[in-house]
Amino acid sequence: MYPNPIYGFIFQGMHDYDHYLTNSNFSLEGEIAAYNFTAKRAPSLDIQKILYSEIVLRSAAYLYLGYAATPKIVFP
């Protein structure tokens, strides 16, 4: 999904730090809290949709399926 693998690493670090700043765990509720914190800094609705796909929907799929889903953008 990322043009350079380092972008995924940076995104994951930023996301985990948002969990720390929001004092949220890695449950679905915690992922939603971290997403909301991140989305406030997003420059556009399109970026918010991508973040929602990457953070909330992939976490929900993992919790439901028991394994990580293939990364893909859900919103057009």
Side-chain angles (χ1 to χ4, degrees):
M1 170 168 163
Y2 302 104
N4 183 325
I6 195 71
Y7 296 156
F9 180 74
I10 292 168
F11 173 76
Q12 190 63 50
M14 179 200 78
H15 175 67
D16 289 349
Y17 189 60
D18 288 347
H19 274 282
Y20 170 76
L21 292 175
T22 59
N23 195 29
S24 58
N25 59 20
F26 292 92
S27 67
L28 186 55
E29 293 80 12
E31 295 296 341
I32 292 169
Y35 161 76
N36 287 331
F37 188 75
T38 304
K40 290 177 185 176
R41 300 188 316 261
S44 70
L45 181 59
D46 287 337
I47 299 297
Q48 289 176 350
K49 290 177 180 180
I50 292 168
L51 291 170
Y52 189 81
S53 291
E54 280 294 299
I55 297 171
V56 177
L57 297 181
R58 285 193 72 213
S59 298
Y62 179 82
L63 292 169
Y64 179 76
L65 298 172
Y67 60 89
T70 304
K72 63 176 116 176
I73 304 304
V74 176
F75 297 100

Coordinates of all heavy atoms in Angstrom, one line a residue:
M1 N 0.8 -1.2 0.0 CA 0.0 0.0 0.0 C 0.9 1.3 0.0 O 0.5 2.2 -0.6 CB -0.9 0.0 1.2 CG -1.6 1.3 1.4 SD -2.9 1.2 2.5 CE -3.1 2.9 2.8
Y2 N 2.0 1.2 0.7 CA 2.8 2.4 0.8 C 3.9 2.4 -0.3 O 4.4 1.3 -0.6 CB 3.5 2.5 2.2 CG 2.5 2.5 3.3 CD1 2.2 1.4 4.0 CD2 1.7 3.7 3.6 CE1 1.3 1.4 5.1 CE2 0.8 3.7 4.6 CZ 0.6 2.5 5.3 OH -0.3 2.5 6.3
P3 N 4.2 3.5 -0.9 CA 5.2 3.6 -2.0 C 6.6 3.2 -1.4 O 7.4 2.8 -2.2 CB 5.1 5.0 -2.5 CG 4.3 5.8 -1.6 CD 3.5 4.8 -0.7
N4 N 6.8 3.5 -0.2 CA 8.1 3.2 0.5 C 7.8 2.5 1.8 O 7.0 3.0 2.6 CB 8.8 4.5 0.7 CG 10.2 4.3 1.3 OD1 10.4 3.4 2.1 ND2 11.1 5.2 0.9
P5 N 8.4 1.3 2.1 CA 8.1 0.6 3.4 C 8.3 1.4 4.6 O 7.6 1.2 5.6 CB 9.0 -0.6 3.4 CG 9.5 -0.7 2.0 CD 9.4 0.7 1.3
I6 N 9.1 2.4 4.6 CA 9.4 3.2 5.8 C 8.1 4.0 6.2 O 7.9 4.3 7.3 CB 10.6 4.2 5.6 CG1 11.1 4.7 7.0 CG2 10.3 5.3 4.7 CD1 11.7 3.8 7.8
Y7 N 7.3 4.4 5.2 CA 6.0 5.1 5.5 C 5.1 4.3 6.4 O 4.5 4.8 7.3 CB 5.3 5.5 4.2 CG 6.0 6.4 3.3 CD1 5.7 6.5 2.0 CD2 7.0 7.3 3.8 CE1 6.4 7.3 1.1 CE2 7.7 8.2 3.0 CZ 7.4 8.2 1.6 OH 8.0 9.0 0.8
G8 N 5.0 3.0 6.2 CA 4.2 2.1 7.0 C 4.7 2.1 8.4 O 4.0 2.1 9.4
F9 N 6.1 2.0 8.6 CA 6.7 2.0 9.9 C 6.4 3.4 10.6 O 6.1 3.4 11.8 CB 8.2 1.8 9.7 CG 9.0 1.8 11.0 CD1 8.9 0.7 11.8 CD2 9.8 2.9 11.3 CE1 9.6 0.7 13.0 CE2 10.5 2.8 12.5 CZ 10.4 1.8 13.4
I10 N 6.6 4.5 9.9 CA 6.3 5.8 10.5 C 4.9 5.9 10.9 O 4.5 6.4 12.0 CB 6.7 6.9 9.5 CG1 8.2 6.9 9.3 CG2 6.2 8.3 10.0 CD1 8.7 7.8 8.2
F11 N 3.9 5.5 10.0 CA 2.5 5.5 10.4 C 2.2 4.7 11.6 O 1.5 5.2 12.5 CB 1.7 5.0 9.2 CG 0.2 4.9 9.5 CD1 -0.6 6.1 9.6 CD2 -0.4 3.7 9.8 CE1 -1.9 6.0 10.0 CE2 -1.7 3.6 10.1 CZ -2.5 4.7 10.2
Q12 N 2.8 3.5 11.7 CA 2.5 2.7 12.9 C 3.1 3.3 14.2 O 2.4 3.3 15.2 CB 3.2 1.3 12.7 CG 2.7 0.3 13.7 CD 1.3 0.0 13.7 OE1 0.7 -0.3 12.6 NE2 0.6 0.1 14.8
G13 N 4.2 3.9 14.1 CA 4.8 4.6 15.2 C 3.9 5.8 15.7 O 3.6 6.0 16.8
M14 N 3.4 6.6 14.7 CA 2.5 7.7 15.0 C 1.2 7.2 15.6 O 0.7 7.7 16.6 CB 2.2 8.5 13.7 CG 1.3 9.6 13.9 SD 0.5 10.2 12.4 CE -0.8 8.9 12.2
H15 N 0.7 6.1 15.0 CA -0.6 5.5 15.6 C -0.4 5.0 17.0 O -1.2 5.3 17.9 CB -1.0 4.4 14.6 CG -2.2 3.7 15.1 ND1 -3.5 4.3 15.2 CD2 -2.4 2.4 15.6 CE1 -4.4 3.4 15.7 NE2 -3.7 2.3 16.0
D16 N 0.7 4.3 17.3 CA 0.9 3.8 18.6 C 1.1 5.0 19.6 O 0.7 4.9 20.7 CB 2.1 2.9 18.6 CG 1.8 1.5 17.9 OD1 0.6 1.3 17.6 OD2 2.8 0.8 17.7
Y17 N 1.8 6.0 19.2 CA 2.0 7.2 20.0 C 0.6 7.9 20.3 O 0.4 8.3 21.4 CB 2.9 8.2 19.4 CG 3.3 9.3 20.3 CD1 4.0 9.0 21.5 CD2 3.1 10.6 20.0 CE1 4.3 10.1 22.4 CE2 3.4 11.7 20.8 CZ 4.1 11.4 22.0 OH 4.4 12.4 22.8
D18 N -0.3 7.9 19.3 CA -1.6 8.4 19.6 C -2.4 7.6 20.6 O -3.2 8.1 21.4 CB -2.4 8.5 18.3 CG -2.0 9.6 17.3 OD1 -1.2 10.4 17.8 OD2 -2.4 9.6 16.2
H19 N -2.2 6.2 20.6 CA -2.7 5.4 21.7 C -2.2 5.9 23.0 O -3.0 6.0 24.0 CB -2.4 3.9 21.5 CG -3.3 3.2 20.6 ND1 -4.5 2.7 21.0 CD2 -3.2 2.8 19.3 CE1 -5.1 2.1 20.0 NE2 -4.3 2.2 19.0
Y20 N -0.9 6.1 23.1 CA -0.3 6.6 24.3 C -0.9 8.0 24.8 O -1.3 8.1 25.9 CB 1.2 6.7 24.2 CG 1.9 7.4 25.3 CD1 2.1 6.8 26.5 CD2 2.4 8.7 25.1 CE1 2.8 7.4 27.5 CE2 3.0 9.4 26.2 CZ 3.2 8.7 27.4 OH 3.8 9.3 28.4
L21 N -1.0 8.9 23.8 CA -1.5 10.2 24.2 C -3.0 10.2 24.6 O -3.4 11.0 25.4 CB -1.3 11.2 23.0 CG 0.1 11.5 22.6 CD1 0.1 12.4 21.3 CD2 0.8 12.2 23.7
T22 N -3.7 9.3 24.0 CA -5.2 9.2 24.4 C -5.4 8.2 25.5 O -6.6 8.0 25.9 CB -6.0 8.8 23.1 OG1 -5.6 7.5 22.7 CG2 -5.9 9.9 22.1
N23 N -4.4 7.6 26.0 CA -4.5 6.6 27.1 C -5.5 5.5 26.7 O -6.4 5.1 27.5 CB -4.8 7.2 28.4 CG -4.6 6.3 29.6 OD1 -3.7 5.4 29.5 ND2 -5.4 6.5 30.6
S24 N -5.4 5.0 25.4 CA -6.4 4.1 24.9 C -5.7 2.7 24.7 O -4.5 2.7 24.3 CB -7.1 4.6 23.7 OG -6.1 4.8 22.7
N25 N -6.4 1.6 24.8 CA -5.8 0.3 24.6 C -6.0 -0.1 23.2 O -6.4 0.7 22.3 CB -6.4 -0.7 25.6 CG -7.9 -0.8 25.4 OD1 -8.5 -0.4 24.4 ND2 -8.6 -1.3 26.4
F26 N -5.8 -1.3 22.8 CA -5.9 -1.8 21.5 C -7.1 -2.6 21.2 O -7.2 -3.4 20.3 CB -4.6 -2.6 21.1 CG -3.4 -1.7 21.1 CD1 -2.6 -1.5 22.2 CD2 -3.1 -1.0 19.9 CE1 -1.5 -0.7 22.1 CE2 -1.9 -0.2 19.9 CZ -1.2 0.0 21.0
S27 N -8.2 -2.3 22.0 CA -9.5 -2.9 21.7 C -10.1 -2.1 20.6 O -9.5 -1.0 20.2 CB -10.4 -2.8 23.0 OG -10.6 -1.4 23.3
L28 N -11.3 -2.5 20.1 CA -11.9 -1.7 19.1 C -12.2 -0.3 19.6 O -12.0 0.7 18.8 CB -13.2 -2.4 18.6 CG -13.9 -1.7 17.4 CD1 -12.9 -1.6 16.2 CD2 -15.1 -2.5 17.0
E29 N -12.6 -0.1 20.8 CA -12.9 1.2 21.4 C -11.6 2.0 21.4 O -11.7 3.2 21.1 CB -13.5 1.1 22.8 CG -14.9 0.5 22.8 CD -14.9 -1.1 22.7 OE1 -13.9 -1.7 22.8 OE2 -16.0 -1.6 22.4
G30 N -10.5 1.4 21.8 CA -9.3 2.1 21.8 C -8.8 2.5 20.4 O -8.2 3.6 20.3
E31 N -9.0 1.7 19.4 CA -8.7 2.0 18.1 C -9.5 3.2 17.6 O -9.0 4.1 16.9 CB -8.8 0.8 17.1 CG -7.9 -0.3 17.4 CD -6.4 0.0 17.2 OE1 -6.1 1.0 16.5 OE2 -5.6 -0.7 17.7
I32 N -10.8 3.2 17.9 CA -11.6 4.3 17.5 C -11.2 5.6 18.2 O -11.1 6.7 17.6 CB -13.1 4.0 17.8 CG1 -13.6 2.9 16.9 CG2 -14.0 5.3 17.7 CD1 -14.9 2.3 17.3
A33 N -10.8 5.6 19.5 CA -10.3 6.8 20.2 C -9.0 7.3 19.5 O -8.8 8.5 19.3 CB -10.0 6.4 21.6
A34 N -8.1 6.4 19.2 CA -6.9 6.8 18.5 C -7.1 7.3 17.1 O -6.5 8.3 16.7 CB -5.9 5.6 18.4
Y35 N -8.1 6.7 16.4 CA -8.5 7.3 15.1 C -9.0 8.7 15.2 O -8.6 9.6 14.5 CB -9.5 6.4 14.4 CG -10.2 7.1 13.3 CD1 -9.6 7.4 12.1 CD2 -11.5 7.7 13.5 CE1 -10.2 8.1 11.1 CE2 -12.1 8.4 12.5 CZ -11.5 8.6 11.3 OH -12.1 9.4 10.4
N36 N -9.9 8.9 16.2 CA -10.5 10.2 16.3 C -9.4 11.3 16.6 O -9.5 12.4 16.1 CB -11.6 10.2 17.4 CG -12.8 9.5 17.0 OD1 -13.2 9.5 15.8 ND2 -13.5 8.9 18.0
F37 N -8.5 10.9 17.4 CA -7.4 11.8 17.7 C -6.5 12.1 16.5 O -6.2 13.3 16.2 CB -6.5 11.2 18.8 CG -5.4 12.1 19.4 CD1 -5.8 13.1 20.2 CD2 -4.1 11.9 19.0 CE1 -4.8 14.0 20.8 CE2 -3.1 12.8 19.5 CZ -3.5 13.8 20.4
T38 N -6.3 11.1 15.7 CA -5.5 11.3 14.5 C -6.3 12.0 13.4 O -5.7 12.9 12.7 CB -5.1 9.9 13.9 OG1 -4.4 9.2 14.9 CG2 -4.3 10.0 12.6
A39 N -7.6 11.7 13.3 CA -8.4 12.4 12.2 C -8.5 13.9 12.4 O -8.6 14.6 11.4 CB -9.8 11.7 12.2
K40 N -8.4 14.4 13.6 CA -8.5 15.8 13.9 C -7.3 16.5 13.2 O -7.4 17.7 12.9 CB -8.5 16.1 15.4 CG -9.8 15.7 16.1 CD -9.7 15.9 17.5 CE -11.0 15.4 18.2 NZ -10.9 15.6 19.7
R41 N -6.2 15.8 13.0 CA -5.0 16.4 12.4 C -4.9 16.2 10.9 O -4.0 16.7 10.2 CB -3.8 15.9 13.1 CG -3.7 16.1 14.5 CD -2.4 15.8 15.2 NE -1.8 14.5 14.8 CZ -1.9 13.4 15.5 NH1 -2.5 13.3 16.6 NH2 -1.3 12.3 15.0
A42 N -5.9 15.4 10.3 CA -5.9 15.1 8.9 C -6.2 16.3 8.1 O -7.2 17.1 8.5 CB -6.8 14.0 8.6
P43 N -5.6 16.6 7.0 CA -5.8 17.8 6.2 C -7.1 17.7 5.4 O -7.5 18.8 4.9 CB -4.6 17.9 5.3 CG -4.1 16.5 5.2 CD -4.4 15.8 6.5
S44 N -7.7 16.6 5.2 CA -8.9 16.5 4.3 C -9.8 15.3 4.7 O -9.3 14.4 5.4 CB -8.5 16.4 2.9 OG -8.0 15.1 2.6
L45 N -11.0 15.3 4.2 CA -11.9 14.2 4.5 C -11.4 12.9 3.8 O -11.6 11.8 4.3 CB -13.3 14.6 4.0 CG -14.4 13.5 4.2 CD1 -14.6 13.2 5.6 CD2 -15.7 14.0 3.6
D46 N -10.8 13.1 2.6 CA -10.2 11.9 1.9 C -9.2 11.2 2.8 O -9.1 10.0 2.9 CB -9.7 12.3 0.6 CG -10.7 12.6 -0.5 OD1 -11.9 12.1 -0.3 OD2 -10.4 13.3 -1.4
I47 N -8.3 12.0 3.4 CA -7.3 11.4 4.3 C -8.0 10.8 5.5 O -7.5 9.7 5.9 CB -6.3 12.5 4.7 CG1 -5.6 13.1 3.5 CG2 -5.3 11.9 5.7 CD1 -4.8 12.1 2.7
Q48 N -9.0 11.4 6.1 CA -9.7 10.8 7.2 C -10.3 9.4 6.8 O -10.3 8.5 7.6 CB -10.8 11.7 7.7 CG -10.3 12.9 8.4 CD -11.4 13.9 8.8 OE1 -12.5 13.8 8.4 NE2 -11.0 14.9 9.6
K49 N -10.8 9.3 5.6 CA -11.4 8.0 5.1 C -10.3 7.0 5.0 O -10.5 5.8 5.4 CB -12.1 8.2 3.8 CG -13.3 9.0 3.9 CD -13.9 9.2 2.5 CE -15.2 10.0 2.5 NZ -15.8 10.2 1.2
I50 N -9.1 7.3 4.5 CA -8.0 6.4 4.4 C -7.6 5.9 5.8 O -7.4 4.7 6.1 CB -6.9 7.0 3.7 CG1 -7.2 7.2 2.2 CG2 -5.6 6.1 3.8 CD1 -6.3 8.0 1.4
L51 N -7.5 6.9 6.7 CA -7.1 6.6 8.1 C -8.2 5.7 8.8 O -7.8 4.7 9.5 CB -7.0 7.8 8.9 CG -5.8 8.7 8.6 CD1 -5.8 10.0 9.3 CD2 -4.5 8.0 8.9
Y52 N -9.5 5.9 8.5 CA -10.5 5.1 9.0 C -10.4 3.6 8.5 O -10.5 2.7 9.3 CB -11.9 5.7 8.7 CG -13.0 5.0 9.4 CD1 -13.4 5.3 10.7 CD2 -13.8 4.0 8.7 CE1 -14.4 4.7 11.3 CE2 -14.8 3.4 9.4 CZ -15.2 3.7 10.7 OH -16.2 3.1 11.3
S53 N -10.1 3.5 7.3 CA -9.9 2.2 6.7 C -8.7 1.5 7.3 O -8.8 0.3 7.7 CB -9.6 2.2 5.2 OG -10.8 2.6 4.5
E54 N -7.6 2.2 7.5 CA -6.4 1.6 8.0 C -6.4 1.3 9.5 O -5.9 0.3 10.0 CB -5.2 2.5 7.7 CG -4.7 2.4 6.3 CD -4.0 1.1 6.1 OE1 -3.1 0.7 6.8 OE2 -4.6 0.4 5.2
I55 N -7.1 2.2 10.3 CA -7.1 2.1 11.7 C -8.3 1.3 12.2 O -8.2 0.2 12.8 CB -7.0 3.4 12.4 CG1 -5.7 4.1 12.0 CG2 -7.2 3.3 13.9 CD1 -5.6 5.6 12.4
V56 N -9.5 1.8 12.0 CA -10.7 1.2 12.6 C -11.1 -0.1 11.9 O -11.3 -1.1 12.5 CB -11.8 2.2 12.6 CG1 -13.1 1.6 13.1 CG2 -11.5 3.4 13.4
L57 N -11.3 0.0 10.5 CA -11.8 -1.2 9.8 C -10.8 -2.4 9.8 O -11.3 -3.5 10.0 CB -12.2 -0.8 8.4 CG -13.3 0.2 8.3 CD1 -13.6 0.5 6.8 CD2 -14.5 -0.2 9.0
R58 N -9.5 -2.1 9.7 CA -8.6 -3.3 9.8 C -8.5 -3.9 11.2 O -8.4 -5.1 11.3 CB -7.2 -2.8 9.4 CG -7.1 -2.6 7.8 CD -5.7 -2.5 7.3 NE -5.0 -3.8 7.4 CZ -3.7 -3.9 7.6 NH1 -3.0 -2.8 7.8 NH2 -3.2 -5.1 7.7
S59 N -8.7 -3.0 12.2 CA -8.7 -3.5 13.6 C -10.0 -4.4 13.8 O -9.9 -5.4 14.4 CB -8.6 -2.4 14.6 OG -7.4 -1.7 14.4
A60 N -11.1 -3.9 13.3 CA -12.3 -4.6 13.5 C -12.3 -5.9 12.7 O -12.7 -7.0 13.3 CB -13.5 -3.8 12.9
A61 N -11.7 -5.9 11.5 CA -11.5 -7.2 10.8 C -10.6 -8.2 11.6 O -11.0 -9.4 11.7 CB -11.0 -6.9 9.4
Y62 N -9.6 -7.7 12.1 CA -8.7 -8.6 12.9 C -9.4 -9.1 14.1 O -9.3 -10.3 14.4 CB -7.4 -7.8 13.4 CG -6.5 -8.6 14.2 CD1 -5.6 -9.5 13.6 CD2 -6.5 -8.6 15.6 CE1 -4.8 -10.3 14.3 CE2 -5.7 -9.4 16.4 CZ -4.8 -10.3 15.7 OH -4.0 -11.1 16.5
L63 N -10.1 -8.3 14.8 CA -10.8 -8.8 16.0 C -11.9 -9.8 15.6 O -12.2 -10.8 16.3 CB -11.4 -7.6 16.8 CG -10.4 -6.7 17.5 CD1 -11.1 -5.5 18.0 CD2 -9.7 -7.4 18.6
Y64 N -12.6 -9.6 14.5 CA -13.6 -10.5 14.0 C -13.1 -11.8 13.4 O -13.5 -12.9 13.7 CB -14.5 -9.8 13.0 CG -15.6 -10.6 12.5 CD1 -16.8 -10.9 13.3 CD2 -15.6 -11.2 11.2 CE1 -17.8 -11.7 12.8 CE2 -16.6 -12.0 10.7 CZ -17.7 -12.2 11.5 OH -18.7 -13.0 11.0
L65 N -12.1 -11.7 12.6 CA -11.5 -12.8 11.8 C -10.5 -13.6 12.6 O -10.3 -14.8 12.4 CB -10.9 -12.3 10.5 CG -11.8 -11.7 9.5 CD1 -11.1 -11.1 8.3 CD2 -12.9 -12.7 9.0
G66 N -9.7 -12.8 13.5 CA -8.7 -13.5 14.2 C -7.3 -13.4 13.5 O -6.3 -13.9 14.0
Y67 N -7.2 -12.7 12.4 CA -6.0 -12.5 11.7 C -6.1 -11.2 10.9 O -7.1 -10.7 10.7 CB -5.7 -13.7 10.7 CG -6.7 -13.9 9.6 CD1 -6.7 -13.2 8.4 CD2 -7.8 -14.8 9.8 CE1 -7.6 -13.4 7.4 CE2 -8.8 -15.0 8.9 CZ -8.7 -14.3 7.7 OH -9.6 -14.5 6.7
A68 N -4.9 -10.7 10.5 CA -4.8 -9.4 9.9 C -5.4 -9.5 8.5 O -5.0 -10.4 7.7 CB -3.4 -8.9 9.9
A69 N -6.3 -8.6 8.1 CA -6.8 -8.5 6.8 C -5.8 -7.9 5.8 O -4.9 -7.1 6.3 CB -8.1 -7.7 6.8
T70 N -5.9 -8.1 4.5 CA -5.1 -7.5 3.5 C -5.4 -6.0 3.5 O -6.6 -5.6 3.5 CB -5.4 -8.1 2.2 OG1 -5.2 -9.5 2.2 CG2 -4.5 -7.5 1.1
P71 N -4.4 -5.2 3.6 CA -4.6 -3.7 3.5 C -5.3 -3.3 2.2 O -4.8 -3.7 1.2 CB -3.2 -3.1 3.7 CG -2.3 -4.2 3.9 CD -3.0 -5.5 3.7
K72 N -6.3 -2.5 2.3 CA -6.9 -2.0 1.1 C -7.8 -0.8 1.5 O -8.3 -0.7 2.7 CB -7.7 -3.0 0.3 CG -8.9 -3.5 1.1 CD -9.7 -4.5 0.2 CE -9.7 -5.9 0.7 NZ -10.5 -6.8 0.0
I73 N -7.9 0.2 0.7 CA -8.7 1.3 0.9 C -10.2 1.0 0.6 O -10.5 0.5 -0.5 CB -8.3 2.5 0.1 CG1 -6.8 2.8 0.3 CG2 -9.1 3.8 0.4 CD1 -6.4 3.1 1.7
V74 N -11.1 1.2 1.6 CA -12.4 0.8 1.5 C -13.3 1.9 0.8 O -14.2 1.6 0.0 CB -13.0 0.4 2.9 CG1 -14.5 0.1 2.8 CG2 -12.3 -0.7 3.4
F75 N -13.0 3.1 1.1 CA -13.7 4.2 0.5 C -13.1 4.7 -0.8 O -11.9 4.7 -0.9 CB -13.7 5.4 1.5 CG -14.4 5.2 2.8 CD1 -13.6 4.8 3.9 CD2 -15.8 5.2 2.9 CE1 -14.2 4.6 5.1 CE2 -16.4 4.9 4.1 CZ -15.6 4.6 5.2
P76 N -14.0 5.1 -1.8 CA -13.4 5.6 -3.0 C -12.8 7.0 -2.9 O -13.0 7.7 -2.0 CB -14.6 5.7 -4.0 CG -15.8 5.7 -3.1 CD -15.4 5.1 -1.8

